[in-house]
């Protein structure tokens, strides 16, 4: 079925060819590749392709656990929206990680309050940015909300 | 008069020994038991810390059953395939199970009353 479809849209419709899961995996793989390149330049080591693929696969599966735990934490606090508090709770296992995440979340909230003062309309953008993942840069999530 | 030392509350070492040797099913040296005891102390400290975080996360000051379930889910003991009820039924004696899982008794009553 898939091969027929692929053949019909031979112009290269990747979205049809790849399922949404595959596309997510590809996105993770690309980002992991970029991050690995940074580390490789920094540490003067080389990552083999297999290593990068393995790290991206691990990351993908780890996201499954993260998502489940975040959902559970939000439900535990009788919320349906995951907030930074839930993310902090997720990072409690490692004290150094918790410290890092707390610092980052403080940075995000402070930058949000600055933007809030600048323009008091668009409360949706602030809300959306807060629920976004910790790793996501503020500017990026803002852009996606504006668009 | 035997002076009672004031020390930290802890599980009886005989109880820890009994539980541990029930599960290992092989001889354990005295030193190993000492380590188990130390570990269980540390375990309690860690668990209490976690429970505190989960309770305050839910905006409460009292630890409830839901907090414990979240903890056990994080520990990987409670999963979708292994609900808390099954663990209670498997590991707790009948009188405790009665307190935790509602059961119908004679006289059209449910114990514990909810």
């Amino acid at each position: 079925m898939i091969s027929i479809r692929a053949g019909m849209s031979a112009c290269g419709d990747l979205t049809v060819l790849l399922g949404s899961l595959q596309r997510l995996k590809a996105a993770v793989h690309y980002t992991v590749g970029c991050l690995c390149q940074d580390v490789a330049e920094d540490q003067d080591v080389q990552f083999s392709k297999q290593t990068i693929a393995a790290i991206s696969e691990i990351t993908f599966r780890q996201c499954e656990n993260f998502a489940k735990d975040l959902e559970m934490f939000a439900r535990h606090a009788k919320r349906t929206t995951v907030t930074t508090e839930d993310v902090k709770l997720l990072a409690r296992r490692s004290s150094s990680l918790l410290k890092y995440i707390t610092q980052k979340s403080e940075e995000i909230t402070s930058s949000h309050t600055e933007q809030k003062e600048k323009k008091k309309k668009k409360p949706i953008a602030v809300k959306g940015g807060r629920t976004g993942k910790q790793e996501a840069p503020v500017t990026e999530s803002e852009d996606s909300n504006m668009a | 008069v035997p002076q009672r030392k004031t020390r930290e509350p802890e599980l009886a070492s005989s109880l820890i020994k009994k539980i541990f040797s029930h599960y290992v099913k092989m001889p354990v040296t005295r030193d190993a038991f000492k380590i188990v005891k130390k570990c269980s102390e540390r375990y309690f400290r860690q668990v209490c810390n976690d429970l505190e975080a989960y309770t305050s996360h839910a905006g409460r000051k009292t630890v409830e059953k839901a907090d414990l379930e979240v903890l056990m889910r994080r520990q990987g003991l409670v999963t979708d395939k292994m609900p808390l009820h099954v663990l209670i039924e498997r590991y707790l004696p009948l009188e405790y199970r009665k307190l935790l899982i509602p059961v119908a008794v004679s006289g059209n009553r449910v114990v514990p009353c909810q």
Side-chain angles (χ1 to χ4, degrees):
Chain A
M1 194 59 185
I2 292 162
S3 62
I4 293 161
R5 265 211 216 162
M8 271 155 65
S9 59
C11 47
D13 196 359
L14 270 169
T15 53
V16 177
L17 199 65
L18 300 170
S20 60
L21 205 72
Q22 294 289 306
R23 271 189 286 153
L24 283 174
K25 276 191 181 178
V28 170
H29 190 272
Y30 172 73
T31 313
V32 166
C34 294
L35 289 171
C36 281
Q37 206 175 6
D38 284 358
V39 174
E41 281 167 16
D42 202 47
Q43 304 278 319
D44 237 10
V45 285
Q46 294 273 321
F47 284 92
S48 69
K49 278 184 181 166
Q50 287 89 342
T51 312
I52 293 173
I55 293 172
S56 69
E57 189 64 30
I58 290 166
T59 311
F60 197 79
R61 294 199 188 174
Q62 188 75 4
C63 282
E64 228 173 276
N65 296 332
F66 284 165
K68 274 184 192 161
D69 282 342
L70 286 172
E71 198 188 327
M72 176 181 69
F73 289 146
R75 210 183 320 125
H76 180 68
K78 296 189 174 60
R79 275 187 272 104
T80 49
T81 317
V82 174
T83 65
T84 46
E85 288 306 308
D86 301 319
V87 180
K88 273 187 221 163
L89 212 57
L90 192 74
R92 264 191 88 252
R93 287 289 171 84
S94 156
S95 54
S96 57
L97 184 65
L98 181 62
K99 211 170 137 192
Y100 181 78
I101 294 269
T102 311
Q103 193 193 329
K104 283 281 167 203
S105 91
E106 273 165 15
E107 277 172 27
I108 287 172
T109 43
S110 66
S111 74
H112 270 304
T113 44
E114 272 174 29
Q115 276 166 2
K116 224 180 184 178
E117 281 163 16
K118 272 184 189 170
K119 41 181 179 178
K120 276 180 184 171
K121 59 176 184 175
K122 290 233 178 197
I124 307 144
V126 177
K127 215 178 179 182
R130 245 206 210 154
T131 54
K133 271 194 186 144
Q134 209 72 36
E135 291 97 344
V138 185
T139 48
E140 214 169 85
S141 62
E142 283 289 307
D143 286 345
S144 63
N145 277 313
M146 300 289 192
Chain B
V1 179
Q3 200 172 0
R4 187 173 284 175
K5 268 188 273 178
T6 51
R7 54 180 178 181
E8 281 190 30
E10 56 188 16
L11 277 184
S13 50
S14 62
L15 180 65
I16 294 171
K17 205 168 167 180
K18 225 157 88 184
I19 294 168
F20 190 73
S21 48
H22 175 262
Y23 285 108
V24 285
K25 295 187 178 74
M26 60 169 85
V28 181
T29 60
R30 196 182 292 256
D31 287 345
F33 275 126
K34 268 185 195 164
I35 294 167
V36 171
K37 197 161 180 288
K38 278 261 161 63
C39 289
S40 69
E41 273 169 32
R42 186 168 281 208
Y43 175 77
F44 269 96
R45 205 174 308 146
Q46 180 71 49
V47 159
C48 291
N49 230 327
D50 288 348
L51 281 175
E52 196 186 329
Y54 296 141
T55 308
S56 62
H57 179 72
R60 276 186 269 103
K61 282 184 177 176
T62 315
V63 178
E64 284 183 8
K65 193 182 170 186
D67 302 318
L68 206 79
E69 195 168 348
V70 166
L71 178 79
M72 288 178 81
R73 221 172 243 279
R74 272 292 265 174
Q75 288 174 337
L77 297 170
V78 174
T79 55
D80 292 338
K81 284 179 188 165
M82 180 58 76
L84 185 59
H85 275 206
V86 176
L87 288 174
I88 290 169
E89 277 168 20
R90 193 171 292 178
Y91 294 105
L92 292 185
L94 188 63
E95 55 264 42
Y96 292 132
R97 196 205 296 182
K98 268 186 193 162
L99 294 173
L100 295 167
I101 302 174
V103 284
V105 293
S106 68
N108 202 15
R109 278 192 310 124
V110 172
V111 173
C113 47
Q114 289 189 322

